[in-house]
Amino acid sequence: MSKINTREALDKAAKKGLSTLIPAKIKITVGMSTSGIASGAQGVYDALAAEIKKRKLSILLTKTGSMGMDCMEPLIDVMAPGKPRLSYAMVTAAKVPQLMDEIAKGTLEPIRPFYRTDGEQSLITGEKIKFVKGALPKELKEIPEINEVPFYKKQIKIATRNCGIIDPENIDEYIARGGYSALAKALTQKPDKLIDDVIASGLRGRGGGGFPTGVKWRSCREAEGDIKYVICNGDEGDPGAYMDRSVMEGDPHSVLEGMIIGAYAVGAHEGFIYVRNEYPLAVANLSKAIEQARANGFLGKNIFGSGFDFDIRIAKGAGAFVCGESTALMASLEGKAGEPRAKYIHTVEHGLWNRPSNLNNVETWANVPVVIARGGKWFAGIGSKESTGTKVFSLVGNVKNVGLVEVPMGIPLKEIVNDIGGGIPGGRKFKAVQTGGPSGGCIPAKLGSLPVTYDELSKAGSMMGSGGMIVMDDKTCMVDIARYFIEFLESESCGKCVPCREGVKRMRDILEDICKGKGKEGDVELLQSMSQAIIDGSLCALGGSAPNPVLSTIKYFRDEYDAHIKEKRCPAGVCKPLITYSVLKDKCTGCMRCAKVCPTKAATGEKKKTHKINKKLCIKCGACLEACKFGAIKVE
Amino acid sequence: MKKTATKTETVDKKIKAIVDKYKGDKTALIAVLQDIQDACRYLPKDALTYVAEKLAVPVSRIYEVATFYNAFSLKPQGKHLIEVCAGTACHVKGGFNLLEKLERELDIACGDTTKDELFTLEQVRCLGCCSLAPVVRIGGNIHAFLTQDEIPKVLKTYKEM
């Protein structure tokens, strides 16, 4: 492969990419992110390939990353020249032959597309591409356009601009969407000018802390030292968060391009991507992307003929949450145990191997090419004043539309939950949203109009975090959630400093007692004072923010703590020692399902007669609740 | 230096090939251990002394690293690794009940291996498949929206593998 070192060569690659991105023949794209594959996308892909072969059709079959609406997976896109792109949801391998009939005949029944896309605009170049030639046929008008689908309507995609559209293994498709043109532009400018632009954009660290990216770059550039590093933090450890996985899997080149630009700006020639051990597909796609970038001359010596050299290596994490902390991550990169160190020694001056190191999160890096291509001013126009641009969230938990969403900063929380997320399923009540992972907190439904920005979330006792947004309904016990996060942090604490190692452990003891009905008056106050000590005394952010889930649940859900402590009652019906299972006489049909699944034979009864649960035998495993189709199992 | 009687000669060829690939690069310690873990499903003691010798890293440091990270195991693991996701979304959707069911079904505690060495049961901190919660990963395959009811059937398919 010849290296791309001129604009003309880049345009040529873009043309090649466009020929598969919007081909002159029918194209079928399957969403094959980790969650897509787990939902059966591989089977769908194989079935499509087999049908195409069997029918000897001239159809291009490709793969893509997460299309966003993960609860509708497997998702596939079908595109015919001159027609809108049609997206089909919940496709199964069994449905494929029928779907192929439809595609061959050009009909839309019986498997109706979920939505259509009439065209798109390149975020990098601003160029609009219309898929539809001429008037839209009447039957297609009945299919909602993507911008009319509530899930997509309020989203603006910057970091995930290519996810679910391009084939992540095809560099030309990335280039066709304007990829690597920001790099070409950057390399003609002075590094300081680039940093100015990033500062003007207001881009802040998307890993959670929200430190201004440009300011970090400048400090690293100005730090003394011949050898500097740029690092990508892909150790997405927050439970309930998978935005970075989706970007690394679905658009790895956006991360690479951001890093190359950043390296040029700070003066680094070596880069590292630290990826979680739990993300094999992200590692695979990034590795392929790096090879392609090298082959095309975007990595290596004399990039774009500018004289700038830079290369990237991937390091796999080994399953330690604390390695998401920058100093711990760097220790891990050096081959050591991932223990953090005191923050007053800045990593931009003394980081990896004691050299100036600039670390940014995956999503931050993915934003960089857009900032450079469109200018800092343009970027700053999106979102709110102090929190510019967009934020990707993984909207999960007890919400109807589960998936990856990218929204402008400042959007009210309830719009994400109710409009994009479609509200709470099963007619239950929206209780709280947990953001910021174990370092964050729970925001109650009553604060639904809170604008989602770094500062507002912090003020509410939570934090932006990396972007996990877990929706909770009235069946979620907030004391249990606090215990869950503290237990998580206890096992993930590296053990280096006492406040975190011992303090978190003691907090867990107290919370566990409360959940078991052994809580005492004054426990809440004790938790609060211990929290303050841990916040003040911990070495790194893991300990410093560890009490957040406890403090925020005490702040907003004190009544639940009181119910556990004073009344020995779990209002949400979660804490096992405090709940009992019983059968509702009027709902039980005597179907015997509960008796069949009960592991301890606590649930018994005769056919068509009301069943009973023997409280002495019941281990509260919830199997009967899961099995009962009539809502006849009561938990209180 | 006179060569002491290390286990260099007796160590498995597979391990030798892994360690030699890294050409004595100390900073690659984690990567070396990951490869050994993948190949052996745990970190055998003689492999670690061999790594110590070839990478010129004290065994104590290797032990520190091997016990710090969740991905490493010093005990042999079963043929199929069962990882129950303990992420927030899975917790909210009752993932803890799946773990208890698996403990009962396999008659082992979390972290242990069955007597027939078929299964090792572990809890993992979020697999990043929150849209499919609750999930369990067995031998690298993700089982989405798993219910307690389905577990015996799922285990059976792996037993027959």
Side-chain angles (χ1 to χ4, degrees), chain A residues 245 276 317 484 491 576 621, chain B residues 34 69 86 91 97 125 128 148:
Chain A
R245 168 177 71 72
R276 265 186 98 194
Y484 162 80
S491 74
K576 285 187 181 175
C621 68
Chain B
Q34 277 168 335
Y69 294 99
H91 181 79
N97 282 328
R125 299 305 188 187
Q148 295 187 50

Side-chain angles (χ1 to χ4, degrees), chain A residues 548-592:
Chain A
N548 281 353
V550 180
L551 291 175
S552 68
T553 47
I554 292 176
K555 185 173 172 187
Y556 299 117
F557 302 97
R558 175 72 193 247
D559 55 327
E560 289 194 31
Y561 280 86
D562 289 343
H564 282 75
I565 295 169
K566 292 176 191 160
E567 300 162 36
K568 312 293 176 203
R569 185 172 67 85
C570 175
V574 174
C575 298
K576 285 187 181 175
L578 303 180
I579 54 171
T580 51
Y581 279 73
S582 56
V583 179
L584 290 168
K585 273 185 191 155
D586 52 330
K587 286 193 177 165
C588 179
T589 62
C591 73
M592 302 179 79

Side-chain angles (χ1 to χ4, degrees), chain A residues 127-147:
Chain A
E127 188 194 354
K128 281 184 184 160
I129 298 175
K130 267 176 85 175
F131 298 155
V132 182
K133 299 277 179 302
L136 192 68
K138 198 179 144 237
E139 69 272 18
L140 281 174
K141 275 186 195 157
E142 288 163 17
I143 313 281
E145 221 271 331
I146 184 164
N147 296 321

Side-chain angles (χ1 to χ4, degrees), chain A residues 18-209:
Chain A
L18 206 59
S19 74
T20 55
L21 207 53
I22 308 168
K25 59 179 176 183
I26 296 177
K27 173 185 169 179
I28 304 178
T29 312
V30 185
M32 306 255 293
S33 63
T34 295
S35 60
I37 293 170
S39 311
Q42 187 65 53
V44 172
Y45 184 89
D46 294 343
L48 283 165
E51 279 296 311
I52 291 169
K53 204 175 158 201
K54 197 174 105 191
R55 301 180 188 214
K56 298 194 178 80
L57 297 169
S58 167
I59 289 179
L60 178 67
L61 181 63
T62 66
K63 299 173 185 179
T64 188
S66 168
M67 295 188 185
M69 207 163 178
D70 298 327
C71 57
M72 290 290 182
E73 283 180 318
L75 282 154
I76 71 165
D77 278 353
V78 177
M79 205 177 180
K83 299 261 183 65
R85 183 164 64 213
L86 300 173
S87 303
Y88 291 82
M90 294 176 158
V91 181
T92 57
K95 280 187 190 167
V96 164
Q98 222 177 353
L99 190 71
M100 292 302 282
D101 286 342
E102 271 184 41
I103 294 166
K105 286 184 211 150
T107 53
L108 297 170
E109 300 290 350
I111 308 172
R112 269 180 89 75
F114 179 33
Y115 57 86
R116 61 169 221 269
T117 311
D118 293 347
E120 58 195 17
Q121 185 175 16
S122 165
L123 192 66
I124 305 281
T125 59
E127 188 194 354
K128 281 184 184 160
I129 298 175
K130 267 176 85 175
F131 298 155
V132 182
K133 299 277 179 302
L136 192 68
K138 198 179 144 237
E139 69 272 18
L140 281 174
K141 275 186 195 157
E142 288 163 17
I143 313 281
E145 221 271 331
I146 184 164
N147 296 321
E148 295 159 14
V149 178
F151 181 79
Y152 293 105
K153 210 171 172 178
K154 291 187 172 166
Q155 295 198 46
I156 299 178
K157 297 200 170 194
I158 295 179
T160 57
R161 57 195 175 276
N162 296 320
C163 288
I165 293 173
I166 65 164
D167 176 355
E169 296 177 30
N170 185 340
I171 189 172
D172 293 329
E173 289 193 2
Y174 176 71
I175 296 171
R177 303 262 303 167
Y180 289 111
S181 64
L183 174 66
K185 181 182 170 187
L187 291 173
T188 62
Q189 295 180 353
K190 289 226 159 67
D192 273 315
K193 159 89 184 34
L194 289 177
I195 295 174
D196 286 341
D197 221 16
V198 176
I199 290 176
S201 75
L203 178 64
R204 293 169 69 176
R206 298 293 195 248

Side-chain angles (χ1 to χ4, degrees), chain B residues 16-44:
Chain B
K16 267 188 189 166
I18 290 170
V19 180
D20 293 349
K21 202 172 78 189
Y22 290 92
K23 296 183 185 118
D25 179 5
K26 268 183 213 192
T27 65
L29 177 61
I30 293 172
V32 174
L33 297 184
Q34 277 168 335
D35 287 357
I36 297 174
Q37 173 80 33
D38 286 347
C40 308
R41 300 205 302 264
Y42 83 113
L43 302 175

Side-chain angles (χ1 to χ4, degrees), chain A residues 70 239-240 242 245 276-277 316-319 332 335-336 338 397-398 402 480 484 488 491-492 576 619 621 626, chain B residues 27 30 34 61 68-71 86-88 91-93 97 100 104 125-126 128 130-132 137 147-149:
Chain A
D70 298 327
Y242 62 98
R245 168 177 71 72
R276 265 186 98 194
N277 191 39
K316 264 196 319 179
S332 184
K336 298 176 190 157
N398 295 319
V402 171
D480 175 66
Y484 162 80
F488 178 98
S491 74
E492 293 297 334
K576 285 187 181 175
I619 55 165
C621 68
E626 199 180 76
Chain B
T27 65
I30 293 172
Q34 277 168 335
R61 262 258 341 264
F68 184 86
Y69 294 99
N70 296 332
T88 322
H91 181 79
V92 168
K93 296 220 171 185
N97 282 328
E100 288 175 15
R104 285 198 302 273
R125 299 305 188 187
C126 197
C130 317
S131 55
L132 311 169
R137 185 163 70 181
T147 60
Q148 295 187 50
D149 203 17

Side-chain angles (χ1 to χ4, degrees), chain B residues 117-129:
Chain B
E117 290 182 2
L118 266 183
F119 297 103
T120 296
L121 181 63
E122 276 180 6
Q123 203 173 30
V124 62
R125 299 305 188 187
C126 197
L127 291 167
C129 291

